[in-house]
Amino acid sequence: MQGDNVLIIKRKVKYPRIELKTGVPMLILPQNSNFCADEILQKHREWINQKLEFIKKIEEKYKNQKIYTRSNNDFIKLVTNLIDESAIVLGKKPSKIIFRYMKTKWASCSQQGKITFNLMLKYLPPRLIRYVVFHEMVHLLVPNHKQNFWNIIKKQFKNFNQYEEQLFGYWFLLQNKELN
């Protein structure tokens, strides 16, 4: 594996998993388990290398993207307006909206209809914020990322794969920046 820099962390999880959300491979193991880290890493070595290569390409491609500056208040107003727009299209509103910094994702939607937005979104262009808001709003209708979910996304964002790639690009760009 490239560099063999893999963090091995034990957590309260049922099954082992590999995460690359920060660009550094992390093997998450159940706390009281007999899983062999070396075996898991060896089994998934090719997949990890492919993902690391993808991250490297994305970082290079998006390293000079514009980082937007807006206050938390301006960002919250923008998201609130976008939620209202999406609610008209989808016929559904979130039960609660939360804004906070998140370490591993742009946003999330709970089963209870609560949507949490990462305040780091405020550094993204409006088109990507609009995409993230719509994406989370669709989760109010479809909780997973199966075909039905993507069919709804495609109605508003024909080239959604480009949005997803740009979100990766901004994710890794912002991970390496000192932001206020």
Side-chain angles (χ1 to χ4, degrees), residues 26-76:
M26 290 179 11
L27 174 59
I28 313 297
L29 295 174
Q31 284 180 333
N32 301 317
S33 70
N34 297 329
F35 288 103
C36 177
D38 289 337
E39 284 179 19
I40 294 169
L41 293 171
Q42 185 60 33
K43 179 179 177 183
H44 298 287
R45 180 176 46 85
E46 187 176 327
W47 178 86
I48 293 169
N49 285 336
Q50 287 174 351
K51 293 296 182 186
L52 289 173
E53 193 59 38
F54 171 75
I55 290 168
K56 198 165 118 183
K57 286 179 184 173
I58 290 292
E59 284 178 322
E60 181 61 27
K61 183 174 179 179
Y62 290 93
K63 69 182 179 186
N64 296 319
Q65 291 298 300
K66 177 181 178 186
I67 295 175
Y68 289 71
T69 54
R70 53 177 70 85
S71 70
N72 284 351
N73 284 340
D74 287 345
F75 169 66
I76 290 168

Side-chain angles (χ1 to χ4, degrees), residues 40-159:
I40 294 169
L41 293 171
Q42 185 60 33
K43 179 179 177 183
H44 298 287
R45 180 176 46 85
E46 187 176 327
W47 178 86
I48 293 169
N49 285 336
Q50 287 174 351
K51 293 296 182 186
L52 289 173
E53 193 59 38
F54 171 75
I55 290 168
K56 198 165 118 183
K57 286 179 184 173
I58 290 292
E59 284 178 322
E60 181 61 27
K61 183 174 179 179
Y62 290 93
K63 69 182 179 186
N64 296 319
Q65 291 298 300
K66 177 181 178 186
I67 295 175
Y68 289 71
T69 54
R70 53 177 70 85
S71 70
N72 284 351
N73 284 340
D74 287 345
F75 169 66
I76 290 168
K77 286 178 191 172
L78 173 61
V79 169
T80 304
N81 289 336
L82 293 171
I83 286 171
D84 291 343
E85 285 178 19
S86 297
I88 291 168
V89 172
L90 298 170
K92 191 90 169 163
K93 284 190 170 196
S95 61
K96 188 174 186 180
I97 304 163
I98 296 172
F99 297 91
R100 67 178 182 87
Y101 286 101
M102 302 168 81
K103 291 182 182 179
T104 60
K105 55 183 104 178
W106 291 118
S108 66
C109 181
S110 75
Q111 290 179 342
Q112 295 76 32
K114 176 181 77 174
I115 300 180
T116 304
F117 292 99
N118 187 339
L119 283 167
M120 295 294 284
L121 282 164
K122 71 182 179 181
Y123 299 109
L124 273 56
R127 72 181 182 284
L128 289 180
I129 297 170
R130 174 176 267 114
Y131 175 77
V132 171
V133 168
F134 190 79
H135 181 115
E136 294 308 320
M137 292 287 289
V138 172
H139 279 308
L140 296 172
L141 302 174
V142 183
N144 54 46
H145 288 116
K146 292 185 180 175
Q147 192 59 49
N148 188 30
F149 174 87
W150 294 112
N151 288 342
I152 297 169
I153 293 288
K154 282 183 208 174
K155 289 178 184 175
Q156 293 292 315
F157 297 91
K158 307 256 184 270
N159 54 350

